[in-house]
Amino acid sequence: MQSLLIIGFVWPEPNSSAAGGRMMQLISLFQRQGFKITFASPAQDSDFMIDLTAFNVEKKAIVLNSASFDTFVKDLNPALVLFDRFMIEEQFGWRVAENCPAAMRVLDTEDLHSLRLARQKAFKEKREFKINDLLEEDVAKREIASILRCDLSLMISEYEVEVLTTTFKIDMSLLFYLPLLLELDAIPNLDLVPSFQNRRDFIFIGNFLHEPNWNTVQYLKETIWPLVRKQLPAAILNIYGAYPSQKVLQLNSVKEGFLIQGRADNAQKVVKQARVVLAPLRFGAGIKGKLLEAMQCGTPTVTTGIGAESMQGDLPWNGFVTDNPELFANKAVALYQDEKKWIEAQQNGIEIIKQRYMRTLFEVGFKAKIQALQDNLPQHRLNNFMGAVLQHHSLKSTKYMSKWIEEKNKN
C-alpha cells in the first residue's frame, strides 16, 4: 500500500468551510485509490476539527522551521505528498524535495489566492479588476512559483485553469481540473426536501474568517436587504457562519429582519428550511461551496458573476445571476414569491450537480493522471525546466531562511 502525506494549512473543519469539505473529499478519493494517509499540520487543534482517526487517517502534529520534520518525512517515505495551499508548499516543499526526492509533489490550490486578493484590492480601490492586475500581485509570484515547483496542481475552477494557461503560460501537464466532488446521495430527493410552501425566509451562509463573506454580509446589510424589504416588509434574512466577530454580531437587527445567527450546527438543515439563498459576492475566487450546497438542498440562489463563476458551464443557473443591486433584489423577491420560477430554478440546480460535480465524472481520469505521473516522474520533471530552476533557487533561499529561524529559535 502506497503512503500519502497530506500537509494541511489547518486541520479539516468540513462543517465550517468548503475548504474543509474539499479536503475530506480528497482524502476519500485517495483512499479509494489504495493510499494509506497521514495528515500532518503545524496548526493548533480546534474545537470543530474533524476526528481524522475515525476516517482511518493518521494525525500528526508538525512544527514550522524545525529539522524534526525532516526526520519524520524521511521515516514515512511517502510516495506522494499533497500540500494544502501554496503557503504550505513554501514552508515544507523544499524539505520534502530534499528528504524524499522520489515523492510526487501535488498542490491543492483551493482557489487562486492571488486572483482573490487582486480582485479584493481592485474593489477596495473602487476600480474594475483587469487580468493584468495579477501580474503586479506579489502573491501571484509566490503562488505561480509554487505551482511550477510541484509535479501537479489541483484546480477547482475552469476559469482559473484558463488564467494559469493564458496569463501565466503554465503548461496543462502541470494542472488537473478537479472541482468539489459529490456522491449520488447529494442529488436532492424532492419528495424528502421541504417544498416551496413549507419553506420561509432568505439565508446567507459563509465562514466569517473569509474576507469575501464578511464583505458580502456588509453589502447585504447596507444595500441589497433594504431593497428587498421595500417589496417584502416582513421578510427575514438569516445570516449563518462560523467564527463571527463582534463587528459581525453588531449587524444583528430584529427590526430590519436582519438576523445574525452565527455558526449553524447543521448547515444543510438550515439551508433546506430557507426558501432562497442570497450570495451577492463582490470579489473572490474558486467555486463557491455555499452555492453548491444550496443546490444539494434544493434551494434556489441569487448571486453575482463572481459567485457563479465556473460553476454551471453552459447550464442555466439555479436561480438568477446579476451584479446590479436593484435587479438582484427584484430577482430575489421574484424567486421568493413565484413558485413556478422557484421550482424551475431548483431543477436547474439538480442538473448542475448531475452534469458537473459527481465524483464518478472525475475519479477514473484523476487516478489515471496520478498513475501516469508516477510512472513517468523523472521525464515529467525534465519537461518542467522552469520548475526545476525555481526548485533549485527557491529551495536554497527558503532552506537557509528556515535554518536561520531554526537556529534563532534555539537561543
Side-chain angles (χ1 to χ4, degrees):
M1 183 178 284
Q2 290 191 94
S3 174
L4 163 65
L5 171 63
I6 300 176
I7 309 178
F9 182 68
V10 293
W11 301 107
E13 291 187 23
N15 293 326
S16 299
S17 69
R22 159 74 163 186
M23 181 52 70
M24 296 310 296
Q25 292 165 13
L26 291 177
I27 286 171
S28 175
L29 198 61
F30 278 110
Q31 284 178 329
R32 292 170 69 91
Q33 292 188 27
F35 282 92
K36 182 179 185 300
I37 300 177
T38 300
F39 193 104
S41 178
Q44 296 290 319
D45 286 2
S46 77
D47 293 337
F48 301 100
M49 68 184 192
I50 202 160
D51 179 8
L52 288 167
T53 58
F55 292 84
N56 201 28
V57 175
E58 183 180 349
K59 178 177 180 285
K60 172 72 176 178
I62 53 177
V63 181
L64 293 170
N65 303 307
S66 171
S68 61
F69 177 84
D70 302 345
T71 304
F72 158 69
V73 77
K74 198 177 291 185
D75 290 344
L76 185 65
N77 192 28
L80 193 152
V81 177
L82 177 71
F83 302 103
D84 172 25
R85 290 166 260 204
F86 79 92
M87 303 84 80
I88 285 293
E89 189 279 334
E90 286 182 328
Q91 288 286 343
F92 294 99
W94 69 270
R95 291 185 183 273
V96 171
E98 196 170 78
N99 291 285
C100 302
M104 183 174 157
R105 300 185 296 273
V106 179
L107 173 66
D108 184 37
T109 57
E110 290 290 350
D111 61 20
L112 273 186
H113 292 61
S114 52
L115 177 61
R116 172 160 41 85
L117 292 171
R119 282 173 166 168
Q120 181 176 330
K121 184 178 179 182
F123 170 79
K124 291 192 172 179
E125 293 176 356
K126 295 182 170 56
R127 58 180 175 80
E128 183 182 350
F129 166 77
K130 294 181 173 57
I131 198 66
N132 281 349
D133 291 347
L134 277 171
L135 301 176
E136 300 176 8
E137 184 65 51
D138 285 344
V139 171
K141 298 176 179 69
R142 293 169 55 198
E143 194 165 30
I144 298 305
S146 182
I147 288 169
L148 285 168
R149 285 193 297 265
C150 288
D151 300 308
L152 188 68
S153 289
L154 306 181
M155 305 303 302
I156 208 165
S157 157
E158 291 162 315
Y159 174 70
E160 292 176 9
V161 172
E162 181 186 336
V163 168
L164 290 176
T165 54
T166 57
T167 303
F168 294 106
K169 314 303 180 191
I170 302 292
D171 195 276
M172 265 305 298
S173 65
L174 299 175
L175 308 174
F176 190 87
Y177 171 61
L178 191 71
L180 298 175
L181 304 175
L182 300 178
E183 304 296 332
L184 273 174
D185 61 6
I187 300 172
N189 182 336
L190 298 185
D191 294 328
L192 298 179
V193 298
S195 66
F196 175 86
Q197 297 294 342
N198 291 328
R199 295 175 183 240
R200 54 180 294 182
D201 302 339
F202 295 89
I203 190 173
F204 171 80
I205 190 164
N207 187 326
F208 288 110
L209 296 180
H210 194 52
E211 179 68 20
N213 289 336
W214 162 235
N215 180 269
T216 297
V217 172
Q218 290 176 295
Y219 187 39
L220 281 164
K221 173 77 170 181
E222 296 164 5
T223 305
I224 301 293
W225 190 240
L227 294 170
V228 173
R229 286 273 287 195
K230 275 185 183 178
Q231 299 181 61
L232 298 174
I236 291 173
L237 172 58
N238 291 300
I239 307 286
Y240 286 92
Y243 303 107
S245 63
Q246 190 57 39
K247 65 182 180 180
V248 175
L249 298 174
Q250 286 174 348
L251 296 181
N252 186 72
S253 173
V254 175
K255 181 182 177 182
E256 297 171 14
F258 195 92
L259 307 181
I260 305 296
Q261 305 285 11
R263 179 186 289 271
D265 293 331
N266 184 324
Q268 288 215 358
K269 182 179 179 181
V270 297
V271 175
K272 283 177 182 175
Q273 291 170 344
R275 191 176 286 179
V276 177
V277 169
L278 303 182
L281 294 146
R282 292 188 286 186
F283 53 84
I287 57 175
K288 311 307 179 291
K290 61 176 69 63
L291 296 177
L292 187 57
E293 183 174 64
M295 296 177 202
Q296 292 174 252
C297 296
T299 310
T301 63
V302 187
T303 189
T304 56
I306 291 287
E309 183 176 271
S310 282
M311 289 203 66
Q312 88 259 40
D314 295 327
L315 299 171
W317 184 248
N318 172 47
F320 296 103
V321 179
T322 177
D323 293 316
N324 179 282
E326 288 80 13
L327 189 56
F328 191 103
N330 291 342
K331 294 298 186 183
V333 171
L335 261 185
Y336 196 84
Q337 293 183 313
D338 190 326
E339 185 173 3
K340 184 180 177 182
K341 286 180 179 176
W342 189 90
I343 291 172
E344 183 181 340
Q346 185 183 64
Q347 292 288 348
N348 289 346
I350 292 171
E351 284 306 307
I352 291 170
I353 289 174
K354 287 180 179 178
Q355 296 190 41
R356 291 185 59 82
Y357 295 100
M358 302 308 296
R359 171 181 52 79
T360 50
L361 297 172
F362 299 94
E363 185 170 27
V364 173
F366 180 62
K367 183 177 182 180
K369 180 70 172 181
I370 295 294
Q371 189 62 59
L373 284 181
Q374 285 187 308
D375 292 344
N376 196 38
L377 197 56
Q379 185 60 49
H380 178 73
R381 287 177 175 172
L382 282 176
N383 294 343
N384 180 22
F385 183 73
M386 288 308 298
V389 170
L390 284 166
Q391 187 68 254
H392 174 78
H393 289 287
S394 301
L395 188 149
K396 293 290 187 289
S397 60
T398 309
K399 173 180 177 178
Y400 289 111
M401 172 59 79
S402 182
K403 285 188 171 295
W404 179 80
I405 295 172
E406 187 178 343
E407 289 301 316
K408 184 171 176 285
N409 289 341
K410 289 177 183 178
N411 298 327

